[in-house]
Amino acid sequence: MQAGITGVGKYVPEKVLTNHDLEKIVDTSDEWIRTRTGIEERRIAADDIDTSDMAYHASVRAIDDAGIKPEDIDLILVATVTPDMPFPTVSCMLQERLGASKAAAMDLSAACAGFMYGIVTAKQFIDTGVYKNILVIGAEKLSKITDWEDRNTCVLFGDGAGAAVIGEVTDGRGILSFELGADGGGGKFLQQEGRFIQMNGREVFKFAVRQMPESSMHVVEKAGLTKEDVDYLIPHQANIRIMEAARNKLDIPVEKMATSIKRYGNTSSASIPIALAEAVEDGSVKEDDFIVLVGFGGGLTWGAVGIKWGK
């Protein structure tokens, strides 16, 4: 059996927080944020909306897109660093709310690379024939762990959720290659210390501009392809300069890279599935395209997946 993505969905909160809004909160400017990060605005969830709520809305759309019902789901994997509470897990809350009574459920914690870890984990169950339909979600309410007085971090993050159904696809399509990795020694550069996110921006940037391009090329080569075969790149939406480093390594034109960062900022594990759902919706990703998903995050962690798109 060949595992692939059979349905996608996304959800972002209604409230928009622009760079100009942030100018009124901390000592920063729209020009500074845009030129250094590529971010123009981000979405912020209301007080009565938590991670599980956003995950639910994205999941409903992915399940519908896959043409299945909640009771068809065998396993729910939620990648998040901002669960509603330590336990029960977001995945268990989601199982009950969806009515996915047959599904096992667990959360994954690999920060911004969490969705990649989730996809690769799901692939193993599908490839071995143990499960038929697995729901993988990246969902974050980063606004609740963001220090809104720290201008170095508060300009970066936003809230949202993206989901994908992983199932069996036709021969030649699906997940053709993947790479996962971690460097625990770099964990101190990006962590939650106390209530808030703490980041050494310089060190994280150095790590990311090396790892994202390398991982992208690795999954292309593992799929037996060349960079000329890449039709679309969906990188973790963390910083436009980091994303450009990956794009330049693959030597693909700018229009073939997802850039939802300007609208949503860094939504951690949700950023890749949100960007993927949008790319499918607007036709940027088409049937039989070879696409590369690549991300990095706290841990430090990283992951990349090469997919031949289609069911």
Side-chain angles (χ1 to χ4, degrees), residues 9-10 14-15 27 90 96 98 109 131 146 171 179 198 204 207 219 226 267 274 280-281 287 304:
K10 77 176 195 335
E14 292 182 5
K15 180 181 178 181
D27 182 17
V90 174
E96 190 273 335
L98 287 170
S109 184
Y131 292 143
T146 297
D171 190 42
E179 173 176 284
Q198 304 288 333
V204 172
F207 161 75
V219 295
T226 67
T267 55
I274 287 173
V280 173
E281 289 169 10
E287 201 83 352

Side-chain angles (χ1 to χ4, degrees), residues 76-294:
I76 299 172
L77 300 173
V78 176
T80 186
V81 295
T82 56
D84 297 33
M85 58 191 75
F87 59 90
T89 60
V90 174
S91 55
C92 282
M93 299 169 74
L94 193 56
Q95 187 236 33
E96 190 273 335
R97 189 168 175 183
L98 287 170
S101 56
K102 291 195 315 180
M106 65 177 178
D107 286 4
L108 301 173
S109 184
C112 305
F115 184 72
M116 314 308 296
Y117 271 68
I119 286 180
V120 173
T121 300
K123 171 179 166 58
Q124 314 311 312
F125 287 106
I126 301 299
D127 286 352
T128 56
V130 175
Y131 292 143
K132 290 185 178 180
N133 296 293
I134 300 175
L135 180 62
V136 181
I137 306 103
E140 305 286 6
K141 188 175 181 179
L142 293 173
S143 58
K144 68 183 181 182
I145 62 168
T146 297
D147 182 353
W148 293 101
E149 296 181 358
D150 178 7
R151 67 175 183 173
N152 295 316
T153 57
C154 75
V155 302
L156 302 175
F157 301 110
D159 302 332
V165 175
I166 312 299
E168 186 181 0
V169 295
T170 52
D171 190 42
R173 292 172 172 170
I175 299 168
L176 304 185
S177 58
F178 67 86
E179 173 176 284
L180 297 177
D183 174 13
K188 60 183 176 291
F189 299 133
L190 180 55
Q191 60 186 344
Q192 182 181 346
E193 187 174 357
R195 289 179 53 199
F196 301 126
I197 300 168
Q198 304 288 333
M199 183 174 70
N200 182 322
R202 185 184 300 275
E203 291 299 326
V204 172
F205 183 85
K206 284 163 53 179
F207 161 75
V209 294
R210 181 188 76 252
Q211 195 60 56
M212 285 251 286
E214 284 183 6
S215 295
S216 299
M217 280 305 304
H218 288 167
V219 295
V220 172
E221 293 163 357
K222 287 180 180 180
L225 301 172
T226 67
K227 61 185 181 181
E228 287 75 24
D229 296 309
V230 178
D231 295 297
Y232 205 70
L233 172 67
I234 302 180
H236 169 42
Q237 308 287 302
N239 181 299
I240 193 65
R241 293 183 293 169
I242 297 171
M243 295 157 60
E244 284 291 330
R247 185 181 71 81
N248 290 331
K249 182 73 171 180
L250 291 172
D251 195 26
I252 62 174
V254 67
E255 63 269 18
K256 289 190 175 184
M257 180 178 76
T259 54
S260 62
I261 185 173
K262 61 185 177 183
R263 296 186 302 279
Y264 307 129
N266 181 348
T267 55
S268 187
S269 66
S271 82
I272 290 175
I274 287 173
L276 173 61
E278 287 198 337
V280 173
E281 289 169 10
D282 67 21
S284 297
V285 170
K286 301 176 289 296
E287 201 83 352
D288 290 322
D289 276 355
F290 179 69
I291 66 173
V292 173
L293 315 181
V294 59

Side-chain angles (χ1 to χ4, degrees), residues 55-77:
Y56 171 78
H57 294 301
S59 297
V60 168
R61 293 166 186 172
I63 291 167
D64 182 65
D65 188 44
I68 63 172
K69 299 177 180 179
E71 51 265 37
D72 296 322
I73 298 169
D74 300 300
L75 175 64
I76 299 172
L77 300 173

